[in-house]
Amino acid sequence: MQPKHYDITIIGAGVSSVFLAYTLMKQNEHVSIHMVDIGKELSERVCGLDQGKECTCKGQCCKYIGFAGLGKSEGKFNYTNDFGGELGRKIGKQSTLELMREVDEILCEFGGNVIPSYSTRNEILSDRAAKVGLKMLSTEVRHLGTRLANEVFQKMYEVLKKQVSFSFETTIDTISKHEDGFHIQSDNEKFTTGKVVIGTGMSGSAWLKKQTESLGLHPGETRLDLGIRVEMKGNQLHSILQDTFETKLKIERETFSATTYCMNPRGRIIRKHQHGVVMPDGQNAREEDTPSANLNFSLFVPSYFPSHDQAMDYAVNIIGGINQGRERIVVQRLEDFQFNRKTTSLQENSVGPSLNGECGSVREEVPELYGMALEEFLACVEDLIGERVHPDTLLYGLDAKFYEPKLPTKENFETEVSNLYLIGDCSGETHSLSQAAASGIYLGKYLGNENAKN
């Protein structure tokens, strides 16, 4: 009996893969598409973390893997070339912006327009920031929030099922190249395919490394962002946030650059589980029935390592040391941090912690680079807002943003192995939902037209 054959197999069911499959369907109604993911379909992605409890998943966490990937989490789509990846450098900045507009149109087509988009552009504030040594990064934003993101992607799934066959909770064991395409062996099926597109994101990094090595592909350097998460009085940055929901600021020095990430007015800090470590993460105010009175964000400092293993070892060593084999996150008052003394209690602190961390010394447990970057950044912020950052501001250690190592690909995302493509974050070109989705649309148009010719 001959194994089943597909024109295109997509491995990974995250945001880039979803938009790829949707575009392929629009381009060519006759192309056969198979999508495989180690996680579950969206309706079955349930974890205790969703209710603020401990992870209840067996194996990899459902909060991060499965249909829609990280798109399920907060559904925040930033439409910009200023940050979130280097797709603009690969395919052109204007093309990237046009593709991201298509991403937004598709989201709205499936109900995303319930939440209005907004812009963080503010020329007057940009000029003020530049005068104190900060650069303001701007974007158009469609912030769906977890509930609406789930609804939107569930509707997309129902449409995709009309032409795409899915295999969830399935692990691809081997991908082998043959003259007629690829032979693929999973833990429960064997099939052939003309083309393979890998969109496994960060969650599939170890698997991707194994598969690409077996195919003779070797990655280059790997980026890693680490930084302290800050929780301050909700009105502390009112003068720069009053006209925009989020302002992204960047500081550049000879020895480092640092950028604010995931700014959440009236949001909370929750625990994020990735790669065996636990980190402080921001949660949007819309996700809680009772928003907090605080504002939180992370200040990320990027570093580059010769290999993915070295980047992961560095992060896991630092954050794992803070965790101490449990879900421990260290928290320290800003004033205590500045005077190099441990925080022993937060009972009388005017900034109430939204996360139950363990009092201690962020300065002692976090490498000096990240504390130095934060101190210099906050000094510039004080000049920008014209007042002192409150000494009761809380610092949490340590947040991280992981990246895939970069594998060489052509402009159309094809690797050195013909008909093998990488999209989304595992391509090393995108680091955001919007750019990942845009890469999916870009490749979908290319493959759709190519298949139509054959």
Side-chain angles (χ1 to χ4, degrees):
M1 181 178 176
Q2 288 277 43
K4 195 158 188 177
H5 180 81
Y6 304 96
D7 294 326
I8 299 172
T9 294
I10 306 170
I11 302 175
V15 169
S16 60
S17 300
V18 170
F19 279 81
L20 164 63
Y22 183 73
T23 305
L24 280 170
M25 285 178 59
K26 292 289 187 180
Q27 294 287 115
N28 187 343
E29 62 181 13
H30 302 295
V31 64
S32 60
I33 309 165
H34 188 46
M35 189 178 291
V36 185
D37 196 277
I38 195 173
K40 300 178 179 181
E41 58 183 277
L42 187 55
S43 61
E44 296 179 8
R45 290 181 62 187
V46 180
C47 175
L49 294 174
D50 297 327
Q51 286 78 44
K53 302 175 184 177
E54 291 186 4
C55 177
T56 53
C57 305
K58 295 179 180 178
Q60 295 195 58
C61 181
C62 287
K63 186 174 177 65
Y64 305 106
I65 63 167
F67 187 84
L70 290 174
K72 158 189 162 63
S73 182
E74 281 236 23
K76 188 174 187 180
F77 289 79
N78 293 309
Y79 305 123
T80 181
N81 283 309
D82 279 358
F83 55 89
E86 299 177 347
L87 189 60
R89 290 178 59 185
K90 188 173 185 68
I91 65 172
K93 290 187 176 181
Q94 188 58 38
S95 295
T96 299
L97 290 174
E98 290 172 0
L99 287 167
M100 287 192 284
R101 278 195 284 272
E102 289 187 50
V103 170
D104 195 57
E105 289 171 2
I106 293 170
L107 291 175
C108 291
E109 180 184 339
F110 287 94
N113 56 349
V114 171
I115 298 293
S117 62
Y118 60 89
S119 173
T120 66
R121 187 175 298 279
N122 185 321
E123 296 298 338
I124 296 174
L125 183 57
S126 293
D127 291 341
R128 284 174 52 202
K131 290 176 182 178
V132 299
L134 296 173
K135 181 180 180 182
M136 183 177 168
L137 307 180
S138 61
T139 180
E140 296 289 324
V141 185
R142 178 84 62 182
H143 197 166
L144 302 178
T146 303
R147 293 187 185 92
L148 182 58
N150 275 261
E151 293 174 12
V152 167
F153 281 106
Q154 184 60 40
K155 290 176 182 176
M156 291 189 75
Y157 176 57
E158 297 301 327
V159 170
L160 290 178
K161 284 196 298 184
K162 297 175 182 178
Q163 190 172 335
V164 181
S165 62
F166 289 91
S167 292
F168 290 108
E169 298 182 75
T170 299
T171 300
I172 299 296
D173 295 324
T174 60
I175 304 171
S176 54
K177 186 76 170 73
H178 293 262
E179 287 185 8
D180 58 345
F182 298 86
H183 293 195
I184 297 181
Q185 178 69 60
S186 76
D187 53 1
N188 56 31
E189 61 181 331
K190 184 176 183 179
F191 58 93
T192 63
T193 186
K195 295 177 174 62
V196 173
V197 181
I198 298 177
T200 50
M202 272 306 306
S203 298
S205 57
W207 174 89
L208 179 64
K209 180 175 181 286
K210 177 183 175 182
Q211 296 297 332
T212 52
E213 284 180 351
S214 71
L215 290 164
L217 298 173
H218 300 286
E221 67 178 14
T222 301
R223 175 177 169 175
L224 170 69
D225 292 356
L226 295 177
I228 295 168
R229 183 160 281 272
V230 180
E231 186 168 35
M232 56 175 52
K233 285 181 172 291
N235 62 356
Q236 181 83 78
L237 302 184
H238 177 71
S239 63
I240 63 175
L241 291 178
Q242 56 186 336
D243 297 322
T244 58
F245 177 79
E246 174 181 352
T247 296
K248 191 177 284 285
L249 297 168
K250 183 175 184 179
I251 181 173
E252 293 181 298
R253 295 290 187 265
E254 285 189 10
T255 56
F256 71 86
S257 68
T259 306
T260 60
Y261 176 79
C262 194
M263 191 172 284
N264 291 291
R266 303 181 71 219
R268 296 182 179 275
I269 298 178
I270 60 174
R271 282 177 167 80
K272 172 174 67 178
H273 297 69
Q274 280 183 295
H275 302 288
V277 294
V278 184
M279 297 155 283
D281 191 24
Q283 186 178 46
N284 186 270
R286 299 191 191 103
E287 309 308 319
E288 287 288 333
D289 294 331
T290 308
S292 82
N294 304 333
L295 173 144
N296 72 77
F297 62 87
S298 286
L299 184 73
F300 277 144
V301 179
S303 299
Y304 295 86
F305 295 80
S307 72
H308 184 260
D309 286 347
Q310 286 174 279
M312 293 303 298
D313 287 347
Y314 182 75
V316 170
N317 181 57
I318 295 170
I319 302 172
I322 294 172
N323 295 161
Q324 296 181 2
R326 46 198 174 94
E327 295 192 337
R328 177 180 180 270
I329 290 174
V330 62
V331 58
Q332 185 177 23
R333 294 176 61 250
L334 175 60
E335 185 178 59
D336 292 338
F337 178 87
Q338 291 168 330
F339 285 96
N340 200 18
R341 66 192 181 209
K342 288 185 178 181
T343 295
T344 56
S345 174
L346 296 175
Q347 285 188 350
E348 305 298 325
N349 208 57
S350 62
V351 178
S354 60
L355 176 76
N356 183 24
E358 184 173 307
C359 292
S361 176
V362 169
R363 185 178 287 280
E364 290 181 5
E365 298 191 47
V366 167
E368 183 181 2
L369 171 65
Y370 307 104
M372 177 181 67
L374 181 64
E375 286 185 300
E376 293 198 27
F377 172 77
L378 292 180
C380 292
V381 167
E382 289 179 336
D383 290 338
L384 180 60
I385 64 177
E387 64 180 62
R388 183 187 180 195
V389 174
H390 200 284
D392 282 347
T393 294
L394 299 175
L395 312 180
Y396 296 83
L398 186 69
D399 197 3
K401 185 171 175 59
F402 300 97
Y403 297 85
E404 281 297 306
K406 245 185 185 179
L407 284 156
T409 58
K410 302 173 186 176
E411 184 178 320
N412 63 0
F413 293 94
E414 187 177 25
T415 68
E416 293 169 355
V417 176
S418 62
N419 291 320
L420 175 67
Y421 302 82
L422 300 177
I423 56 167
D425 289 8
C426 71
S427 71
E429 302 290 352
T430 75
H431 314 313
S432 64
L433 296 180
S434 54
Q435 290 203 18
S439 74
I441 293 177
Y442 181 87
L443 183 58
K445 290 180 176 181
Y446 173 80
L447 294 181
N449 288 331
E450 188 179 62
N451 269 66
K453 295 173 186 176
N454 296 335

